Structure formats: structure tokens, C-alpha cells
Amino acid sequence: MKISGLLAKDAITVSCELFPPKQFEKLAEVKETVAQTAALSPSFISCTYGATGGTSEYTVEIAKEISSHGIPALAHLTCVSSTKEKVAQVIRELSRNGIENVLALRGDIPPEGRMAFDYAHASDLVEELKSHGDFCIGGACYPEGHPESEDMEKDLYYMRVKYEKGVQFFTSQLFFDNGAFLSFCEHVRAAGIKAPVIAGIMPVSNAASIEKMIRLSNCRVTPELAALLQKYGGTPDIGRAGIEFSVKQINGLIKEGVRHIHIYTMNRPAIAKAIMQSIER
Ligand code: FAD
């Protein structure tokens, strides 16, 4: 099923995210995670793609596994370090395996520099996908601005370029400040972007990893999150407190009229379950 169709229905959607294994030996373990996540009946499950294309084989494999559980799969695809040949090969594999939904991404520029120069931006990949068939295409967006962006106006301008080239929905970067997301959605609408924007929620389960993510994503730490990290940072209670924080954040968004939630569950079905059963729909 196409995700654009799901998002058009008058219902709240809650989706989850997984990452593929790096080695074949871990494939069975990730497939078990898929089964446990699918058992929670999320609206769809997405599977990430290595920025350098190294895990592409398993992204398609995991997307196929998600579909086999009757849950729509969203396969991520990055382009900045790929050649046209490599991208075309993955697109063909996606088609062959009946994967209809693709999140078209640029990918982060590797610290050691780019390995290929066929693509500069996600919008180039959107064009490529459109030329290969009838995919439902999603894109990424940044409620607090992309770290490389000069300002929000430029970011919205390029988001609109992606929309005009064929992006049918956007998934947001993680954020902890609901006000920032709600205000961003207003700017998105004012910029004439009519595609749905899915709110990206990252559960806090470990102080060190969340601090790294905050640094990389440039998102604001709310006083409530700062207090949580200070109180529970180095304790075993951080997981429980993080789940409560995410539930409160999601329920707060739903109260404000947000219809679509994507939880960065990242191969942690127990966390996905704890959050999903407390969402007030
Ligand atoms: P783009 O849309 O190309 O934007 C990147 C930057 O370039 C922005 O600052 C934008 O304003 C600017 N820009 C865009 N178009 C132009 C243009 N034509 N001219 C000049 N400037 C332009 N990474 C992975 O490696 N694998 C994943 O699976 C993955 N999944 C993600 C899922 C989500 C929901 C999000 C939010 C991010 C994900 N990422 C993933 C990270 C993502 O690849 C990085 O954030 C990357 O830096 C930007 O990707 P993008 O698709 O937003 O790029």
C-alpha cells in the first residue's frame, strides 16, 4: 500500500523505523525485530539505508520482510555517495520486490569526502525515482533547520523544490520541542507545500547517544529534557523516563492536531510497544 494513501485517510498514523544489519550473520536477528515490530501493527515501518550504500542489499531485504508481515514498507535510499548505476540497480531491486514507498534522501557527506558525484541533492534522486516507475516518494525535512542550511527560508525553499519534483510526504528530523515543530508546519503551509509532514520522535534511552544525536541534528534541548537527562542520565531509570517523555511529547502533538507520528524505534520493539500502547488516539 502506498503511504500517501494511508496519510490521506482521516486517521492518526503511527509508524516505526528499523535499520538493516551490516553483516549477513545479523540478518535473522533483524528479521526477528521486524516480526516483533510488525506485531504492534504500526501504520508502516521504514528501513534506513547506509549513506555510502554499504547496507543497501539488506535495506531491500528488510523492506521485503516488513511487507511479508502485511505492513507497508518504506525503504530509505540515499544518493550522495552513489553512482547512477548503483542507484538504478537498487531502484530495480525495489521494483522487483514490490516495494512501493521510498524515502528519497541525499545522505550525509562522509567526513572523508564524497565517493561519487552523480547526485548533489535529494531532489535529484526524486527525479530519478520518478523516471523509473510509480513509487510513492517521501523526503526528509528539518523543523529546526538542516545543519548545513544558511537559514530556515533557504531550507523551506529547497523543501518546496523536493515537493514540486514529486515528494508526496515528508518525515521530520527528530525534535524535542513541540512548539518548534508546530511553528515549522505553519511555515511549510505558508510556503505552499501541501504534502503531509510526519513528526519524527526519538525515544530517549541512553544519555550519551541522545547527546550525540542532539549535537548532530542541531535540535533544541527543552528545559524538561535537560532536567530528565540531569536526573536520570547515568541511571537505569533513563529508559522508563525516556518512554514517558516520548509519550507526553506524542500525546501533546496529537492534542495540537498533528495526525502523523513516526517513532525512531531503531530495532527496539520493547520501547516501540511501551510507547505505542500509551498513545491517546
Ligand atoms: P537535501 O534535501 O538534499 O538537503 C540537504 C541540504 O542541502 C539542506 O541544507 C538543503 O537546504 C540543501 N539543498 C537541498 N537542495 C538544494 C539545492 N538544489 N541547492 C542548494 N542547496 C540545496 N541518512 C542516511 O544515510 N540514511 C538514512 O536512511 C537516513 N534517513 C533519514 C530519515 C529522515 C526522516 C531524516 C530527517 C534524515 C535521514 N538521514 C538518513 C539523514 C540525511 O541523509 C541527512 O540529514 C542529509 O544531510 C540530508 O539529507 P536530505 O535528503 O534532507 O538532503
Side-chain angles (χ1 to χ4, degrees):
M1 174 159 198
K2 290 206 166 127
I3 289 171
S4 52
L6 275 175
L7 302 177
K9 289 185 186 165
D10 185 25
I12 289 170
T13 67
V14 181
S15 48
C16 296
E17 183 156 312
L18 304 176
F19 55 86
K22 286 204 171 81
Q23 304 110 11
F24 176 77
E25 293 70 43
K26 296 273 178 191
L27 193 53
E29 198 179 297
V30 179
K31 285 187 176 180
E32 177 52 31
T33 303
V34 170
Q36 290 176 23
T37 309
L40 305 172
S41 301
S43 305
F44 66 86
I45 303 176
S46 69
C47 182
T48 65
Y49 185 96
T52 52
T55 57
S56 63
E57 198 184 322
Y58 301 122
T59 296
V60 178
E61 177 86 24
I62 295 299
K64 201 169 87 176
E65 185 70 16
I66 294 165
S67 302
S68 77
H69 288 272
I71 304 286
L74 170 63
H76 293 199
L77 179 57
T78 65
C79 61
V80 77
S81 280
S82 275
T83 60
K84 287 225 171 223
E85 290 72 27
K86 173 72 188 167
V87 166
Q89 180 206 325
V90 179
I91 296 175
R92 276 196 301 274
E93 279 175 38
L94 289 166
S95 279
R96 209 172 37 241
N97 287 288
I99 311 300
E100 296 176 288
N101 305 293
V102 182
L103 194 71
L105 298 151
R106 184 195 72 177
D108 282 324
I109 313 276
E112 64 278 14
R114 294 172 57 175
M115 290 179 287
F117 293 87
D118 287 355
Y119 300 93
H121 302 288
S123 49
D124 303 333
L125 180 58
V126 176
E127 283 183 340
E128 186 83 36
L129 282 159
K130 294 282 284 182
S131 73
H132 276 79
D134 185 25
F135 289 104
C136 168
I137 305 172
C141 66
Y142 302 84
E144 295 168 270
H146 184 268
E148 289 166 35
S149 210
E150 277 170 42
D151 53 42
M152 188 53 91
E153 214 175 301
K154 275 261 160 59
D155 229 19
L156 283 165
Y157 174 83
Y158 291 121
M159 185 177 167
R160 188 174 163 134
V161 170
K162 289 198 274 198
Y163 169 65
E164 285 173 347
K165 289 200 174 177
V167 165
Q168 289 161 279
F169 67 92
F170 288 90
T171 307
S172 90
Q173 178 60 289
L174 66 97
F175 64 92
F176 298 104
D177 179 357
N178 283 2
F181 178 78
L182 295 168
S183 144
F184 172 71
C185 289
E186 280 175 23
H187 288 293
V188 167
R189 299 298 165 236
I193 302 165
K194 298 196 174 90
V197 178
I198 307 177
I201 304 297
M202 176 63 79
V204 176
S205 62
N206 166 316
S209 71
I210 214 76
E211 274 156 16
K212 185 175 169 208
M213 275 173 222
I214 288 165
R215 226 177 23 254
L216 293 175
S217 66
N218 225 4
C219 71
R220 192 174 94 81
V221 178
T222 59
E224 199 184 354
L225 177 63
L228 180 150
L229 291 174
Q230 200 181 14
K231 184 165 179 192
Y232 298 107
T235 77
D237 289 335
I238 183 78
R240 180 195 46 78
I243 288 167
E244 281 170 16
F245 184 91
S246 294
V247 168
K248 194 167 169 208
Q249 193 184 359
I250 293 168
N251 287 336
L253 287 167
I254 292 174
K255 275 206 187 83
E256 291 290 341
V258 174
R259 317 286 296 157
H260 308 299
I261 308 287
H262 184 68
I263 314 172
Y264 291 105
T265 48
M266 311 319 284
N267 303 24
R268 298 170 298 179
I271 291 181
K273 185 174 181 185
I275 295 175
M276 286 175 77
Q277 66 194 13
S278 301
I279 294 178
E280 291 161 11
R281 304 191 196 203

